Amino acid sequence: MRKIDLRSDTVTKPTEAMIRAMAEAEVGDDVYREDPTVNRLEEIAAERLGKEAALFVTSGTQGNQVAVLTHCVNGDEVIVEAESHIFYYEGGAMSALAGVQTRTVPGVRGALRGEDVEKAIRSTTNIHFPRTKLICLENTHNRAGGAVVTPEQMKSVYDVAQKHGIPVHLDGARLFNAAVALGVDVQEFSRYTDTVQICLSKGLSAPVGSIIAGDRAFIEEARWWRKKLGGGLRQVGYLAAPGILALTEMTDRLAEDHDRAKQLAEGFSKLSLEVAPVDTNIVLVKTDSIHVPAVDFLKLLSDRGVYAVDFDEYMIRFTTHRHIAENDIQYVLEVVESLIAGVSTAQWQKGDSSDLTIW
């Protein structure tokens, strides 16, 4: 059966050039800082992000948690957007590992507003309060449908943070998607952060790894925390080599993924499905208009070789990536159209769409 995997851009596999680079990589012991390929990757990443130094970590979650551990101590408070990945999808790691509590602030399509953040910052003179020690942003914002948080929106938060002497960390797992979508250099975003994490293993197609970047003092402390989390690896240049290609050869092609996502969204809209605005490579589609819960509709899709994920009771996320071609988009739309027709027929026969049993 044909398989079209739109669950995530994490399913991307390395390019042939990446595989060759892995096989040919010059390596050493990275804990001793003797792996030349890792060192080169970190230099490239720091330069691209406009930071003094960078550190290779195993995953985006590890990168985010190393950042929190480096910025905070037990009992501190971290301001996060209410549906951010670091709060929603990282297993409560901030509380489990760093012993910090989160203060959630609702954003507008994932973007925090400076004035809302300022209201959430704790008074430093009241001993009843925890200390606000970090503000976390996310770009692009996953649960907001891959929404781009503009440099202007980031600046409004960064200016408040600077005023109060609080660092800003950016979960930039898909930051290059944001840069490509706006047609600007990635530093237009990273300049409004103290530290930033980017993923190499999503749309950029590296098999493993993320980068955290900041000033040299931060990265030295972060290296210590990475070791504590078991992230001090040895001949890791075999994994860093495809990361170099991810940063030097794979960022511009993200525009193709954005085009595919827009094609998919336009097709869904023509089928009278409600679709969230599409900025990048994520499409959120509501299924409440056809009275079918997301998990049930996903089962129908998977039976026909199309895979996506549920985001809410009546919300499905489709994520495009470099393995999705234009004819795949057409096939998905044809499958969805046939399923909607089948659902409509079942509703008409049953006469009560509110209690539809999926066949």
Side-chain angles (χ1 to χ4, degrees), residues 1 20 45 71 81 100 103 111 113 141 144 157 171 173 202 243 298 329 333 352:
M1 180 189 295
R20 287 196 301 272
H71 283 298
E81 201 280 327
V100 300
R103 187 163 194 186
R113 301 189 307 172
H141 195 287
V157 174
D171 175 3
K202 289 187 167 70
L298 287 171
I329 298 298
L333 294 173
D352 181 8

Side-chain angles (χ1 to χ4, degrees), residues 171-329:
D171 175 3
R174 296 183 176 92
L175 186 59
F176 283 97
N177 289 88
V180 168
L182 295 190
V184 300
D185 189 275
V186 71
Q187 291 187 26
E188 291 300 308
F189 301 92
S190 59
R191 65 189 297 186
Y192 299 119
T193 69
D194 295 279
T195 59
V196 56
Q197 178 271 126
I198 58 168
C199 283
L200 306 172
S201 60
K202 289 187 167 70
L204 301 185
S205 295
V208 175
S210 290
I211 291 287
I212 51 175
D215 64 34
R216 294 191 187 282
F218 170 86
I219 292 300
E220 284 303 307
E221 186 74 5
R223 189 180 296 273
W224 188 76
W225 277 111
R226 184 187 69 172
K227 178 63 175 174
K228 280 181 169 287
L229 295 180
L233 305 178
R234 303 300 175 174
Q235 288 73 38
V236 73
Y238 294 119
L239 298 179
I244 292 174
L245 295 180
L247 290 179
T248 58
E249 298 185 3
M250 301 299 289
T251 57
D252 290 344
R253 66 144 310 280
L254 293 173
E256 299 174 22
D257 301 340
H258 300 174
D259 290 341
R260 298 282 186 266
K262 289 180 173 63
Q263 292 168 14
L264 195 60
E266 290 170 5
F268 287 146
S269 295
K270 291 177 181 178
L271 297 175
S272 299
L273 291 172
E274 184 178 346
V275 183
V278 176
D279 290 352
T280 54
N281 67 321
I282 293 176
V283 182
L284 297 184
V285 181
K286 297 187 72 174
T287 62
D288 52 349
S289 63
I290 56 174
H291 309 286
V292 181
V295 291
D296 293 329
F297 203 76
L298 287 171
K299 176 61 170 61
L300 298 173
L301 286 172
S302 65
D303 288 344
R304 290 153 179 82
V306 177
Y307 297 85
V309 294
D310 60 297
F311 250 35
D312 207 336
E313 184 179 4
Y314 288 96
M315 181 79 76
I316 295 176
R317 186 190 77 171
F318 297 83
T319 306
T320 56
H321 48 81
R322 75 178 186 88
H323 300 312
I324 302 299
E326 188 168 354
N327 62 353
D328 293 326
I329 298 298

Side-chain angles (χ1 to χ4, degrees), residues 77 79 103 116-123 132 135 160-161 164 166:
E77 187 167 78
I79 294 175
R103 187 163 194 186
D116 295 334
V117 170
E118 187 152 36
K119 290 176 183 177
I121 293 173
R122 301 285 194 169
S123 167
T132 304
I135 299 166
V160 168
H164 292 272
I166 300 169

